[in-house]
Amino acid sequence: MLNRKQYRTEEIARWIRDEIEAGTFPPGTRLEERPLSERFGVSKTPVREALIQLASIGIVDLRQRKGATVTILSVEQVISMFEVMTELETMAAKLSATRMSASDRDELAKIHRRSEACIPAEDFATYDAINKEFHELIYRGSCNDYLETSVRDVRSRLRVYRRYPFTKAGRIRQSFADHEQIVQAISKGDGETAAAAMRDHISIGGRVFADLVVEMRRQH
């Protein structure tokens, strides 16, 4: 029974987190325990435990007598987290160039090629999903569990905001070109070039990301 309870809590937390990342639950959305418990066919206890778990990593804001809401990041928090993510992504690319297995390098190239079909139609949603696969494979390829967990957590919290750059005209084509340089460097085992290419990639995204920060400030 104990193992089953832990499994349900993890499952519920993962589902809520996925919905937040997908934008289904935007920042500020109230997360009611009753509808969630009914959806999973469980009592409120595992739902409450899942919300507490998500609150512990900052994805959910949980307050006494006010319930749970999806965390709203301040402009300052978004900028700070983006700076950290840039460094973590750069490190992951550098390590992957020398540590990623041959099969994963092949898979990275396949994922990259698959995303090319999104360019002509500017298919933002599909490219965003493939882009997530691309970066997560690089995290895994670093063979550093702590780095992988850290960058996943930061990127996860920023994901709802980071989808914005792909809606800008020409951004998918630029991102694809950036990825090409990263793939080539990793395939050659060139850590320094892979790191530089990833930093440039994130920084270019950052310039578009700056537009979002300006928009956030206007909304505040």
Side-chain angles (χ1 to χ4, degrees):
M1 289 298 292
L2 179 60
N3 289 338
R4 180 58 178 168
K5 179 180 178 182
Q6 290 176 337
Y7 168 75
R8 296 297 294 180
T9 296
E10 291 292 333
E11 181 182 49
I12 295 166
R14 184 168 58 251
W15 181 84
I16 294 173
R17 183 169 182 166
D18 287 346
E19 293 298 289
I20 291 172
E21 290 183 15
T24 306
F25 297 148
T29 300
R30 187 173 177 80
L31 300 172
E32 302 282 357
E33 291 180 7
R34 184 180 296 279
L36 288 171
S37 64
E38 290 175 352
R39 184 196 185 285
F40 286 95
V42 297
S43 69
K44 289 184 179 180
T45 300
V47 171
R48 189 174 299 115
E49 290 173 348
L51 293 173
I52 291 172
Q53 186 180 113
L54 294 174
S56 71
I57 56 176
I59 293 177
V60 168
D61 186 11
L62 194 58
R63 300 187 182 184
Q64 193 171 14
R65 290 192 290 272
K66 288 188 177 181
T69 57
V70 179
T71 299
I72 300 175
L73 296 177
S74 68
V75 172
E76 291 73 22
Q77 286 175 312
V78 170
I79 293 173
S80 295
M81 292 172 69
F82 187 82
E83 289 175 343
V84 171
M85 190 187 72
T86 299
E87 296 304 317
L88 294 175
E89 292 261 8
T90 299
M91 184 183 296
K94 182 177 182 177
L95 293 178
S96 288
T98 55
R99 297 180 179 180
M100 183 178 280
S101 67
S103 60
D104 278 350
R105 291 184 192 205
D106 290 341
E107 181 62 24
L108 187 68
K110 289 178 183 177
I111 291 172
H112 174 53
R113 291 302 165 197
R114 183 152 47 90
S115 70
E116 189 171 14
C118 301
I119 298 175
E122 293 196 323
D123 186 346
F124 307 128
T126 302
Y127 189 84
D128 180 59
I130 297 174
N131 180 69
K132 182 181 178 183
E133 285 184 61
F134 180 87
H135 283 269
E136 289 193 345
L137 182 53
I138 292 175
Y139 307 156
R140 190 168 72 242
S142 72
C143 298
N144 184 313
D145 291 343
Y146 185 75
L147 172 60
E148 181 179 358
T149 299
S150 298
V151 70
R152 279 176 180 273
D153 284 345
V154 177
R155 194 178 183 94
S156 175
R157 293 187 65 187
L158 285 175
R159 182 163 168 71
V160 67
Y161 301 95
R162 280 189 52 79
R163 295 179 66 190
Y164 170 85
F166 295 136
T167 64
K168 307 293 284 188
R171 179 56 191 146
I172 290 179
R173 186 176 297 278
Q174 178 62 59
S175 177
F176 179 83
D178 293 347
H179 284 183
E180 178 69 26
Q181 294 182 24
I182 294 167
V183 169
Q184 290 299 321
I186 289 177
S187 68
K188 294 175 182 177
D190 187 343
E192 294 300 329
T193 300
M198 180 63 82
R199 184 179 294 280
D200 287 346
H201 173 55
I202 301 296
S203 296
I204 290 172
R207 290 197 285 274
V208 182
F209 189 71
D211 293 341
L212 171 62
V213 172
V214 171
E215 184 62 29
M216 287 177 67
R217 285 198 167 115
R218 286 175 183 163
Q219 293 174 2
H220 284 70

